[in-house]
Amino acid sequence: GDSVTQMEGPVTLSEEAFLTINCTYTATGYPSLFWYVQYPGEGLQLLLKATKADDKGSNKGFEATYRKETTSFHLEKGSVQVSDSAVYFCALCPTGKLIFGQGTTLQVKP
Amino acid sequence: DGGITQSPKYLFRKEGQNVTLSCEQNLNHDAMYWYRQDPGQGLRLIYYSQIVNDFQKGDIAEGYSVSREKKESFPLTVTSAQKNPTAFYLCASSASFSGFLLNTEAFFGQGTRLTVV
């Protein structure tokens, strides 16, 4: 069945470090892919999305490219800030049912 | 402002009681979802609804019930049959419908933290 696999966390980085959070998926067809972010005690917010192969989603310095050949949608940011500390979820919606990865906790230290 | 509202933010339940969590959206979305999140874990789908008066079980539906009598409302009842209900519950909606245009993002409420006392 359809699924999403994320790298396990927590990921701990120093401020201004480069971030990569890996995400791979299994799905029939060509679903849109999403990254959501969850700050402590809150719901999820859409961070970025890509709707077709080779699309690059970007927002707030974060980027992810839809790679059909590797079935991946890795999240990257060139220079993280303390305020980026949160849980990040990769997701897809192949048939109307949202499917999320397990989430990756990011901690950024000053 | 358009959005999705969950209430209450915190809820305490005695063992053996049923409780109902509210979820309302004014985004005119067809699809609504309930997820459960446990500390340090991802989201697990409890129930989802693609259209009014229709809903499907997710991965962990046992001990929960839902209704979808109105497009904007999707309440979740946590019954006494749910053995471990303490968790953070998230409601979401998306403009999703059968066919090709399924790939729209979901909007989430702020969540309800349920604690059994």
Side-chain angles (χ1 to χ4, degrees):
Chain A
D2 300 323
S3 66
V4 177
T5 302
Q6 286 181 238
M7 64 186 288
E8 290 191 18
V11 174
T12 302
L13 296 173
S14 298
E15 208 165 21
E16 298 184 3
F18 184 85
L19 169 71
T20 299
I21 299 177
N22 291 338
C23 170
T24 57
Y25 67 90
T26 302
T28 53
Y30 303 101
S32 288
L33 301 173
F34 309 94
W35 276 101
Y36 285 84
V37 59
Q38 183 181 34
Y39 298 103
E42 297 185 9
L44 276 67
Q45 303 172 27
L46 179 68
L47 181 59
L48 54 85
K49 70 175 182 179
T51 57
K52 60 184 186 296
D54 300 325
D55 265 4
K56 178 185 282 188
S58 62
N59 185 27
K60 299 180 181 179
F62 290 90
E63 294 182 339
T65 301
Y66 190 161
R67 302 284 189 201
K68 190 175 70 172
E69 62 277 11
T70 55
T71 62
S72 65
F73 192 53
H74 305 322
L75 182 68
E76 297 181 337
K77 187 175 185 182
S79 176
V80 294
Q81 306 300 312
V82 173
S83 57
D84 293 326
S85 298
V87 182
Y88 293 82
F89 291 91
C90 185
L92 57 85
C93 184
T95 56
K97 186 171 80 168
L98 289 167
I99 298 173
F100 287 86
Q102 285 299 102
T104 302
T105 299
L106 171 65
Q107 291 181 318
V108 180
K109 297 187 174 181
Chain B
D1 287 337
I4 183 164
T5 302
Q6 289 186 242
S7 62
K9 189 169 183 178
Y10 299 96
L11 186 58
F12 296 90
R13 190 196 92 169
K14 293 183 180 179
E15 289 200 24
Q17 283 184 336
N18 292 353
V19 289
T20 297
L21 283 60
S22 171
C23 179
E24 303 277 333
Q25 53 98 359
N26 59 4
L27 300 166
N28 200 34
H29 284 170
D30 284 319
M32 297 187 75
Y33 311 81
W34 274 106
Y35 289 90
R36 170 179 172 142
Q37 187 177 26
D38 294 286
Q41 298 190 27
L43 302 172
R44 292 187 287 171
L45 183 63
I46 304 172
Y47 270 97
Y48 64 105
S49 168
Q50 292 293 293
I51 197 167
V52 175
N53 292 322
D54 187 45
F55 49 82
Q56 289 80 41
K57 292 182 179 180
D59 301 318
I60 56 165
E62 185 176 350
Y64 299 96
S65 66
V66 294
S67 63
R68 187 84 188 278
E69 297 176 0
K70 299 186 293 182
K71 187 175 186 178
E72 59 269 23
S73 179
F74 191 42
L76 173 74
T77 297
V78 184
T79 75
S80 56
Q82 170 49 237
K83 298 191 187 317
N84 186 20
T86 295
F88 189 51
Y89 291 87
L90 287 163
C91 180
S93 71
S94 68
S96 177
F97 49 91
S98 299
F100 296 105
L101 299 179
L102 294 171
N103 298 313
T104 57
E105 64 266 32
F107 293 80
F108 281 80
Q110 291 298 295
T112 293
R113 187 166 300 280
L114 173 64
T115 303
V116 173
V117 296

